[in-house]
Amino acid sequence: MSHSTPATANGNDSKKFKGDRSPCSPSRVLHIRKIPNEVTESEIISLGLPFGKVTNLLMLKGKSQAFLEMASEEAAVTMVNYYTPVTPHLRSQPVYIQYSNHRELKTDNLPNQARAQAALQAVSTVHSGGLTLSGPGSEGIILQGQSPVLRIIVENLFYPVTLEVLHQIFSKFGTVLKIITFTKNNQFQALLQYADPMNAHHAKVALDGQNIYNACCTLRIEFSKLTSLNVKYNNDKSRDFTRLDLPTGDGQPSLDTTMAAAFGAPGIISSPYGGAAGFAPAIGFPQAGLSVPGVPGLGPLALTTSAMGGRIGIPGMSAIPGHSVLLVSNLNPDLILPHGLFILFGVYGDVHRVKILFNKKENALVQMADATQAQLAMSHLNGQRLHGRVLRITLSKHQAVQLPREGHEDQGLTKDYTNSPLHRFKKPGSKNFQNIFPPSATLHLSNIPPSVTDDDLKRLFASTGCTVKGFKFFQKDRKMALIQLGTLEEAILALIDLHNHDLGENHHLRVSFSKSMI
């Protein structure tokens, strides 16, 4: 490793390690803050292993901080992108990860580095398929080839259990990398891969035999024979949380043929629920935990730390919070309006309220119908460009957006859309649940009246400042069309401007992002 760069962390200058306060450009060295005292080197390293090789570690126990060096900047970027919307936890405490302003770690001559180097070697052995595990509470434990992949069967499936619900539950025990759901022998099953076999071990011990809901949806968990999952598509049936670029692959099998053969499963394995990624139409995430509204006699999710009121406690787990409010920052204060955020975020869920902050108009709060929709909107829209700015989206600490008190006007910066007729997902089982895709330069148009021509629609989109690169009507249904615009940002602005545009003949244009190209 070269030690010649000026931005090298060598640990000798204490001023260097007060922490990287301002946002830094991507670096393969990551700064980790608020680390609990008892956390070991192995646990820090395990945060990075899912994303690539970890090449060095510097622990600053007195400051509750650490610097982790990845083998490549690409691995570090993937890691930061993963942990930005999903805060990692060590010993049940949240830790925070950002790029360091150091470009490499120079720790050769530092005291107390022997433990870090030993941990790097030990954890790398586990990662490459060795047997010795080093992790929380696991010193000296030998797990004979234990897999990081769990096979989960949900018995007594009276209510839908989605991929998102499984992720919420199992991520309490460690970083979940991949999930594949399928049906076999008329049972809803899943394969779930952790970053570390020890995470899988803890989850199995804590969750096997527990009910997700009172008296139903019982988890049966065993270790899989597979040591890694190959996820081809990110949709409601399968998800690779380290690969946000995967296609949705609608209608394709979630398991590849090798994995399907390993389970004696048919070539095409489907989920029993056709909802879109991230949606469980009957399930919401209120503050007290999961519940199923409108179903008499069904209490909150059993994932509580007490056994009060007939709930089944799961050791080490607390109630899942219901974060349905998003904080959207880095907005263009001269151009942003509540309506624009309502339309854009409404692609991924029903927006109830929007508030642009009075004294800080670069920031806004967006309240979605539930936490699942909030997560979906955040995962698709964080990092997208709007009005020349890159959107930054995180979960807000607020549980709801407050409306201004009567007589206190806020210049129209707060809007209530709870009863809006433009909600896309009001109807349970709506086909809109199956047509949620990431932002793309190609838009799907529908509800087009017979009298409107392709030239009419091209002119309409060009009038918003877009460059139209392609257009085609659907052969079987001229009420629908695809239009390809010059850039992704143009498509986002056109969707905001033209969704629900009046085309005459009592037809309002419906606009959404398309998975297809022209």
Side-chain angles (χ1 to χ4, degrees), residues 229-417:
L229 299 181
N230 179 20
V231 175
K232 292 183 174 182
Y233 306 107
N234 281 342
N235 53 34
D236 61 319
K237 302 177 185 68
S238 61
R239 195 81 53 85
D240 184 336
F241 294 95
T242 68
R243 291 279 312 277
L244 300 179
D245 58 322
L246 291 179
T248 56
D250 282 2
Q252 298 297 320
S254 297
L255 292 180
D256 65 19
T257 51
T258 307
M259 291 173 61
F263 280 87
I268 295 180
I269 300 172
S270 61
S271 164
Y273 302 104
F279 277 90
I283 299 178
F285 290 76
Q287 181 61 20
L290 285 172
S291 69
V292 183
V295 181
L298 190 68
L301 176 72
L303 302 184
T304 60
T305 51
S306 70
M308 295 162 50
R311 301 175 192 171
I312 301 171
I314 292 181
M317 294 189 66
S318 56
I320 296 172
H323 289 292
S324 60
V325 179
L326 299 171
L327 173 63
V328 187
S329 55
N330 202 36
L331 294 164
N332 187 324
D334 300 322
L335 297 172
I336 198 63
L337 293 170
H339 177 76
L341 293 173
F342 166 67
I343 294 296
L344 179 58
F345 281 73
V347 173
Y348 299 106
D350 291 338
V351 177
H352 283 191
R353 292 178 181 176
V354 177
K355 178 190 281 288
I356 295 173
L357 304 190
F358 185 80
N359 293 322
K360 235 185 160 186
K361 293 188 174 65
E362 297 87 1
N363 298 322
L365 296 173
V366 177
Q367 182 180 339
M368 307 296 290
D370 62 42
T372 311
Q373 296 183 12
Q375 286 279 356
L376 194 63
M378 180 169 66
S379 66
H380 282 304
L381 295 175
N382 184 42
Q384 300 293 344
R385 294 184 70 87
L386 177 64
H387 299 303
R389 300 278 194 95
V390 176
L391 295 180
R392 295 285 173 247
I393 305 171
T394 57
L395 293 173
S396 169
K397 62 183 179 184
H398 298 285
Q399 296 304 314
V401 171
Q402 299 299 319
L403 296 175
R405 295 195 305 275
E406 229 176 302
H408 291 71
E409 291 302 317
D410 67 348
Q411 302 177 358
L413 296 176
T414 305
K415 295 287 186 184
D416 187 352
Y417 297 102

Side-chain angles (χ1 to χ4, degrees), residues 46-361:
S46 68
L47 290 173
L49 278 178
F51 309 98
K53 186 178 180 184
V54 177
T55 50
N56 212 344
L57 170 69
L58 178 62
M59 293 277 282
L60 303 172
K61 289 221 169 189
K63 299 179 184 294
S64 300
Q65 299 179 20
F67 289 83
L68 189 74
E69 180 186 89
M70 303 297 290
S72 69
E73 186 176 296
E74 182 184 12
V77 169
T78 304
M79 180 173 168
V80 170
N81 286 345
Y82 178 86
Y83 286 129
T84 297
V86 184
T87 304
H89 286 66
L90 292 174
R91 304 289 174 115
S92 301
Q93 297 296 315
V95 296
Y96 301 92
I97 300 175
Q98 65 193 57
Y99 298 117
S100 170
N101 49 22
H102 304 297
R103 294 299 170 206
E104 65 175 347
L105 291 180
K106 183 180 178 183
T107 60
D108 299 349
N109 301 316
L110 291 184
N112 305 321
Q113 272 300 104
R115 279 176 61 90
Q117 294 305 315
L120 275 168
Q121 187 173 356
V123 179
S124 296
T125 303
V126 173
H127 194 57
S128 60
L131 301 181
T132 305
L133 276 176
S134 179
S138 65
E139 279 73 2
I141 292 178
I142 304 292
L143 297 176
Q144 295 298 324
Q146 180 178 293
S147 168
V149 179
L150 294 176
R151 182 180 182 185
I152 302 156
I153 299 173
V154 183
E155 297 178 346
N156 304 319
L157 189 74
F158 294 140
Y159 303 102
V161 173
T162 65
L163 183 149
E164 293 293 310
V165 169
L166 292 175
H167 184 260
Q168 289 263 15
I169 295 168
F170 283 83
S171 62
K172 297 294 180 183
F173 295 89
T175 302
V176 175
L177 301 185
K178 303 170 187 178
I179 302 177
I180 296 172
T181 63
F182 56 96
T183 299
K184 183 185 175 189
N185 300 332
N186 292 321
Q187 285 183 313
F188 177 69
Q189 303 191 25
L191 295 169
L192 183 145
Q193 181 180 343
Y194 276 109
D196 188 321
M198 185 53 69
N199 301 147
H201 173 75
H202 287 316
K204 181 181 184 299
V205 169
L207 295 176
D208 187 28
Q210 299 287 351
N211 294 334
I212 297 178
Y213 304 110
N214 289 346
C216 69
C217 300
T218 307
L219 294 169
R220 300 294 178 201
I221 303 170
E222 59 190 44
F223 290 108
S224 171
K225 295 174 184 176
L226 299 168
T227 56
S228 177
L229 299 181
N230 179 20
V231 175
K232 292 183 174 182
Y233 306 107
N234 281 342
N235 53 34
D236 61 319
K237 302 177 185 68
S238 61
R239 195 81 53 85
D240 184 336
F241 294 95
T242 68
R243 291 279 312 277
L244 300 179
D245 58 322
L246 291 179
T248 56
D250 282 2
Q252 298 297 320
S254 297
L255 292 180
D256 65 19
T257 51
T258 307
M259 291 173 61
F263 280 87
I268 295 180
I269 300 172
S270 61
S271 164
Y273 302 104
F279 277 90
I283 299 178
F285 290 76
Q287 181 61 20
L290 285 172
S291 69
V292 183
V295 181
L298 190 68
L301 176 72
L303 302 184
T304 60
T305 51
S306 70
M308 295 162 50
R311 301 175 192 171
I312 301 171
I314 292 181
M317 294 189 66
S318 56
I320 296 172
H323 289 292
S324 60
V325 179
L326 299 171
L327 173 63
V328 187
S329 55
N330 202 36
L331 294 164
N332 187 324
D334 300 322
L335 297 172
I336 198 63
L337 293 170
H339 177 76
L341 293 173
F342 166 67
I343 294 296
L344 179 58
F345 281 73
V347 173
Y348 299 106
D350 291 338
V351 177
H352 283 191
R353 292 178 181 176
V354 177
K355 178 190 281 288
I356 295 173
L357 304 190
F358 185 80
N359 293 322
K360 235 185 160 186
K361 293 188 174 65

Side-chain angles (χ1 to χ4, degrees), residues 443-458 460-461 471-474 477-483 501-511:
L443 297 174
H444 180 275
L445 313 180
S446 61
N447 205 33
I448 303 167
S451 61
V452 172
T453 67
D454 53 350
D455 286 336
D456 293 332
L457 289 166
K458 287 180 190 176
L460 176 63
F461 278 81
F471 181 93
K472 73 172 183 183
F473 278 110
F474 279 53
D477 188 354
R478 278 183 58 91
K479 292 177 186 172
M480 297 192 291
L482 296 177
I483 188 165
H501 180 82
D502 190 351
L503 292 174
E505 301 176 43
N506 202 27
H507 282 67
H508 286 77
L509 183 65
R510 295 185 61 81
V511 185

